[in-house]
């Protein structure tokens, strides 16, 4: 995993950065992206301990009761994707306001798979998953995305609705 950067943090952009502004994301996708980015950061730069911010960020966004289950569901999606992908996953730096405001191409594929699942469009979800997982087996990834989507639909959260 590699963080893609911008002018504010000094990191250079890598391939896969498409520059989409995250302001267009609905609150459910933005919450998922925020938590996922801190998990991505944990793998790319373990010394930053992004996982602690993933958990505290989920708690801040969702409340104390919903946060642990949601954060674990996002982590399971991330881990399933990591097991399937063979190359580097590019994500925007969550600690840089300039970078965090932009969506990388890989992040977009991840969110598109989740969005398609939430909209009950399994063929679309599978297509995004296939691109994201580079043609490798997507079954575990899609199972975890479906579990996350069910959680998002089943629980009324202050941000996820």
């Amino acid at each position: 995993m590699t963080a893609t950067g911008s002018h504010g943090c000094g990191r250079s952009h890598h391939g896969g950065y498409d520059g989409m502004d995250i302001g267009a994301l609905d609150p459910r996708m933005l919450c998922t992206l925020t938590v996922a980015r801190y998990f991505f950061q944990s793998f790319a730069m373990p010394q930053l301990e992004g996982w602690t911010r993933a958990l505290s960020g989920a708690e801040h966004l969702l409340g104390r009761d919903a946060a642990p289950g949601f954060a674990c569901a996002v982590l399971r999606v991330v881990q399933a994707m990591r097991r399937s992908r063979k190359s580097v996953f590019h994500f925007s730096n969550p600690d840089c306001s300039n970078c965090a405001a932009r969506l990388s191409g890989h992040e977009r594929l991840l969110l598109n798979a989740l969005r398609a699942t939430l909209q009950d469009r399994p063929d679309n979800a599978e297509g995004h998953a296939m691109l994201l997982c580079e043609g490798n087996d997507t079954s575990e990834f899609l199972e975890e995305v479906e579990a996350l989507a069910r959680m998002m639909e089943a629980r009324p959260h202050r941000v996820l609705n």
Side-chain angles (χ1 to χ4, degrees):
M1 300 212 166
T2 299
T4 58
S6 182
H7 306 85
C9 68
R11 294 186 186 140
S12 61
H13 290 291
H14 297 280
Y17 176 79
D18 69 10
M20 177 186 163
D21 188 330
I22 64 167
L25 295 177
D26 73 38
R28 298 182 306 176
M29 295 298 120
L30 185 57
C31 182
T32 302
L33 177 64
T34 300
V35 172
R37 280 179 171 170
Y38 282 117
F39 282 126
F40 299 149
Q41 186 182 65
S42 287
F43 298 113
M45 295 163 280
Q47 71 278 11
L48 297 179
E49 298 181 350
W51 65 272
T52 61
R53 287 180 287 164
L55 296 174
S56 62
E59 189 170 305
H60 172 75
L61 294 168
L62 304 173
R64 188 177 193 154
D65 293 336
F70 180 78
C72 285
V74 172
L75 179 59
R76 285 190 296 272
V77 167
V78 169
Q79 288 290 73
M81 179 198 67
R82 290 180 72 222
R83 284 188 286 275
S84 185
R85 283 182 64 87
K86 302 302 179 215
S87 65
V88 172
F89 179 92
H90 295 284
F91 66 97
S92 294
N93 179 1
D95 293 329
C96 171
S97 60
N98 289 330
C99 298
R102 301 288 179 197
L103 192 63
S104 77
H106 293 151
E107 291 171 333
R108 180 185 287 216
L109 288 170
L110 176 65
L111 294 181
N112 283 348
L114 176 59
R115 184 180 298 110
T117 301
L118 285 164
Q119 295 171 346
D120 196 27
R121 295 183 295 130
D123 290 343
N124 288 4
E126 187 173 346
H128 292 294
M130 187 64 66
L131 291 170
L132 181 63
C133 296
E134 306 171 320
N136 298 309
D137 183 17
T138 61
S139 58
E140 181 188 3
F141 171 75
L142 287 170
E143 286 175 21
E144 296 301 344
V145 169
E146 288 174 23
L148 175 60
R150 283 192 305 272
M151 175 182 285
M152 292 168 79
E153 291 173 332
R155 292 187 180 165
H157 301 309
R158 60 180 176 223
V159 171
L160 294 181
N161 280 337

